[in-house]
Amino acid sequence: MNFLSTRGHTAKASFSDVLLAGLAPDGGLYLPESWPHIPAAEIAAFRGARYQEVAFAVLSRFTAGSFSDAELREAIEAAYSDFDAPDIAPLVQTADNQYLLELFHGPTLAFKDIALQILGQLFSRALAKRGGRATIVAATSGDTGSAAIAALGGLPNISVFVMHPKGRVSNVQRLQMTTSTHANVHNIALEGSFDDAQGIVKSLFADTDFADQISLTAVNSINFARIAAQCVYYFTATAALGKPATFVVPTGNFGDIFAGEAAFRMGLDVARLVIATNANDIMARALNEGVYESGISHATLSPSMDIQVASNFERALFEACDRDADWTAAAMNDFTRERRLGIPQEVLASLRSRYSAVACDDAETRAAIAAVYKGTGRIIDPHTAVGVAAALKMGPLEELTALSPVVVLSTAHPAKFPDAVAQAIGAPPPEPARLAGLKNLPERLEILANDPTLIKQFISSRLAA
Ligand SMILES: *Cc1c(COP(=O)(O)O)cnc(C)c1O
């Protein structure tokens, strides 16, 4: 399988190239040259299959040529060996035709584990075959950082630098990152927002001398391997239901929901993809008003979605304009310059044929946590709650569920966000075993100003140490 860039000026790349590079050299994002097709009969047979089997069926279509079947199977088994749920991504019914797809049973209790655990396994195998080192620099709004550290901490020939916006992640999220004892893990608390951190990562990539010198790599959701791993649960959930679903996806960087589009392009019947955002509503405005425009970043109860640039949206735009790389490159350059992009009518119509978008504020988030608790006794996290609130806001729920089952992606364990939960239901959720004792461990982090030069110096000095 070969990959191309959404901006059209990158040589064809293999899965390993894409995995190790993250971002394409022309600044675009990698996508398969053409989408692999999974026949309907094979998808139907996923019903009742082990999650790992479905993961193999889906991922092998992308990794062919870079990893043998045996290597991929081994990586998948290792990746999902430390999950609390035997079926990895359980589908839980909450009411008639309403479901939660629980994606938080991995080591750091958020859905990022599902992709990053497998990415870490593939990464170390690819690096072992190719030789050399890799330096991973990740910007995180909270969950990517801890999941990357859990997946990559202690692996040979890899250094991991994780930048989180200082004071903008929950205590649990910070502790999960800063209490890692692995010598190859370096935490930076950036005096800025998540978008500032993401901007710094982009500028490090743009400095090609520096990037080459340290073998810079991204494991952010722009890495196609993550999208590939996230397609899998759209297949397992649909197969379990036996009919197409409306998926409501708490959205930040647009990676998780784009995996739904990827599954659709591979042959999965999907009723609709609903983008659920918090007050950082760039994606809701893009879909509903036709203008993709960054605003100021708001701190909300769902910090992992506090994002004003949804990087993976570039992939959806590229597909929606029928893969016109010249248009995509020009559009993204306009957006970088103006922080604003008017979406042409045909492109918007194509996006709207697949996606709807709803924004919810903190009050609606709290109300959704309280309503689910009252109705089912379940405690959901504030990101999942944005999804539930969005589904409620789409109109009468009976009308929505009459069309197709509604599946809200449950992206984090509530214990990662105890304060938000307490605000909604009066008490924090019980603490799971994985988090017990975290606050008694020593933390390691460096507080740094929002300045790319300073960050570069820090990385160089740590690598030289
Ligand atoms: C990362 C994250 C999201 C947003 O996912 P994207 O792929 O960035 O859209 C939602 N919820 C939680 C808990 C997350 O960690």
Side-chain angles (χ1 to χ4, degrees):
M1 160 75 61
N2 282 321
F3 292 78
L4 47 68
S5 162
T6 50
R7 301 197 191 173
H9 293 282
T10 291
K12 281 178 196 171
S14 70
F15 182 83
S16 286
D17 296 333
V18 168
L19 173 74
L20 294 173
L23 198 67
D26 63 1
L29 306 186
Y30 283 115
L31 280 175
E33 214 170 20
S34 64
W35 289 100
H37 183 74
I38 305 187
E42 188 179 344
I43 295 175
F46 288 160
R47 186 179 187 138
R50 277 180 84 220
Y51 186 90
Q52 290 85 335
E53 274 307 312
V54 182
F56 177 80
V58 173
L59 288 169
S60 58
R61 262 113 174 158
F62 297 113
T63 58
S66 291
F67 293 98
S68 70
D69 285 359
E71 285 169 331
L72 179 62
R73 280 188 194 283
E74 215 182 81
I76 290 171
E77 291 302 328
Y80 299 120
S81 63
D82 187 25
F83 275 62
D84 290 332
D87 39 358
I88 311 301
L91 186 67
V92 175
Q93 183 158 20
T94 50
D96 203 22
N97 259 342
Q98 296 173 48
Y99 299 83
L100 291 173
L101 180 57
E102 291 188 351
L103 304 174
F104 54 74
H105 293 284
T108 70
L109 305 176
F111 90 94
K112 306 285 199 297
D113 288 324
I114 294 188
L116 279 163
Q117 283 292 323
I118 181 81
L119 187 125
Q121 292 296 327
L122 294 175
F123 224 89
S124 58
R125 283 170 174 78
L127 220 48
K129 286 203 230 187
R130 211 171 262 205
R133 298 187 46 82
T135 303
I136 287 155
V137 180
T140 183
S141 51
D143 292 326
T144 291
S146 52
I149 289 169
L152 302 163
L155 292 182
N157 304 319
I158 295 176
S159 299
V160 190
F161 291 83
V162 172
M163 239 183 301
H164 70 265
K166 181 171 176 281
R168 291 275 199 101
V169 299
S170 81
N171 276 334
V172 175
Q173 286 179 315
R174 192 191 68 252
L175 287 164
Q176 283 182 318
M177 296 189 275
T178 58
T179 58
S180 167
T181 54
H182 293 293
N184 69 335
V185 170
H186 311 277
N187 279 289
I188 299 167
L190 189 77
E191 292 179 312
S193 67
F194 168 75
D195 294 304
D196 293 330
Q198 191 160 248
I200 287 180
V201 174
K202 284 190 181 150
S203 76
L204 296 180
F205 272 99
D207 184 343
T208 46
D209 287 344
F210 180 72
D212 287 347
Q213 182 201 330
I214 66 167
S215 301
L216 183 64
T217 300
V219 297
N220 277 61
S221 62
I222 51 163
N223 194 307
F224 184 78
R226 282 181 61 176
I227 307 279
Q230 290 168 10
C231 297
V232 176
Y233 41 75
Y234 287 94
F235 284 98
T236 57
T238 304
L241 291 166
K243 53 184 153 182
T246 294
F247 288 100
V248 185
V249 187
T251 293
N253 226 351
F254 211 76
D256 206 11
I257 197 162
F258 184 77
E261 176 172 346
F264 162 78
R265 293 193 179 274
M266 294 172 78
L268 185 72
D269 209 347
V270 174
R272 201 146 190 83
L273 294 167
V274 180
I275 303 162
T277 77
N278 62 26
N280 298 287
D281 60 351
I282 177 166
M283 282 312 312
R285 285 183 284 112
L287 256 283
N288 296 328
E289 292 160 29
V291 182
Y292 179 58
E293 181 172 24
S294 289
I296 4 161
S297 141
H298 302 280
T300 72
L301 291 177
S302 43
S304 302
M305 293 153 52
D306 289 352
I307 283 173
Q308 285 291 337
V309 178
S311 303
N312 281 291
F313 185 44
E314 179 168 345
R315 290 190 157 111
L317 282 173
F318 179 70
E319 294 293 357
C321 71
D322 288 330
R323 296 196 150 207
D324 181 340
D326 289 338
W327 179 80
T328 308
M332 294 321 295
N333 285 332
D334 284 354
F335 176 72
T336 305
R337 216 174 31 247
E338 321 272 340
R339 310 283 287 167
R340 182 182 195 282
L341 169 71
I343 304 172
Q345 274 313 317
E346 324 80 75
V347 176
L348 192 59
S350 165
L351 290 167
R352 284 176 176 167
S353 69
R354 186 142 19 261
Y355 294 103
S356 303
V358 183
C360 302
D361 61 20
D362 278 351
E364 289 164 323
T365 305
R366 278 189 295 264
I369 297 174
V372 170
Y373 185 60
K374 190 158 172 249
T376 69
R378 276 176 186 280
I379 303 177
I380 57 170
D381 100 287
H383 302 80
T384 307
V386 170
V388 171
L392 291 169
K393 228 172 156 173
M394 288 188 72
L397 207 50
E398 310 78 59
E399 283 177 27
L400 192 63
T401 54
L403 302 174
S404 60
V406 174
V407 177
V408 175
L409 272 56
S410 185
T411 50
H413 191 291
K416 286 195 96 163
F417 305 96
D419 298 342
V421 170
Q423 280 185 33
I425 61 172
E431 189 177 65
R434 287 202 199 264
L435 299 180
L438 217 49
K439 44 187 173 301
N440 303 322
L441 298 174
E443 291 189 63
R444 289 188 304 143
L445 83 167
E446 194 82 13
I447 300 167
L448 294 176
N450 177 16
D451 173 358
T453 312
L454 212 65
I455 305 292
K456 248 168 76 174
Q457 284 164 358
F458 175 74
I459 292 172
S460 299
S461 73
R462 283 294 175 97
L463 290 176

